[in-house]
Amino acid sequence: MTETSTQSQGMVAEAYTIQYDRLDNTPLSVAVAEAVGTATGTDITALDPLHYAIDADALERLFEPRADGLRTGGRVTFEFNECLVTVTSDGEITVEPIAER
């Protein structure tokens, strides 16, 4: 995975982005949890379960390779552990802080 970030201690300051290899054996749901954990400086075992935020199986199926090749186009954005997570069909995972309301 390739990553870029702008972060401060323990919190995401702006955005943290990694490039996820869609042909890798690591499940997308694990990559999302690892990205959020890294961005926030939190051990992934301390995060809320991903299925509290999104149907992890549906997320996997949405971006898995199809019989005719990799899916092109599309993105999904959801809240997870006080962050806004965006996953795109080209394998990018971006983690941004949720603005205080």
Side-chain angles (χ1 to χ4, degrees):
M1 285 189 250
T2 306
E3 62 183 76
T4 58
S5 68
T6 304
Q7 58 184 355
S8 61
Q9 183 178 2
M11 290 298 295
V12 182
E14 289 181 24
Y16 173 82
T17 300
I18 63 167
Q19 187 65 40
Y20 171 71
D21 182 356
R22 295 179 294 163
L23 299 176
D24 191 5
N25 288 331
T26 303
L28 178 55
S29 56
V30 172
V32 166
E34 288 174 347
V36 171
T38 300
T40 61
T42 305
D43 186 281
I44 64 169
T45 60
L47 297 174
D48 290 335
L50 183 62
H51 70 267
Y52 286 5
I54 192 168
D55 182 331
D57 291 332
L59 181 66
E60 299 284 348
R61 286 190 308 275
L62 184 61
F63 295 109
E64 71 187 3
R66 301 181 318 188
D68 61 350
L70 295 174
R71 184 178 308 274
T72 58
R75 71 178 45 224
V76 64
T77 301
F78 56 94
E79 291 183 20
F80 177 54
N81 281 275
E82 299 180 18
C83 295
L84 200 59
V85 178
T86 301
V87 180
T88 65
S89 62
D90 65 355
E92 188 173 274
I93 301 170
T94 301
V95 180
E96 300 175 273
I98 294 177
E100 292 186 31
R101 299 174 183 154

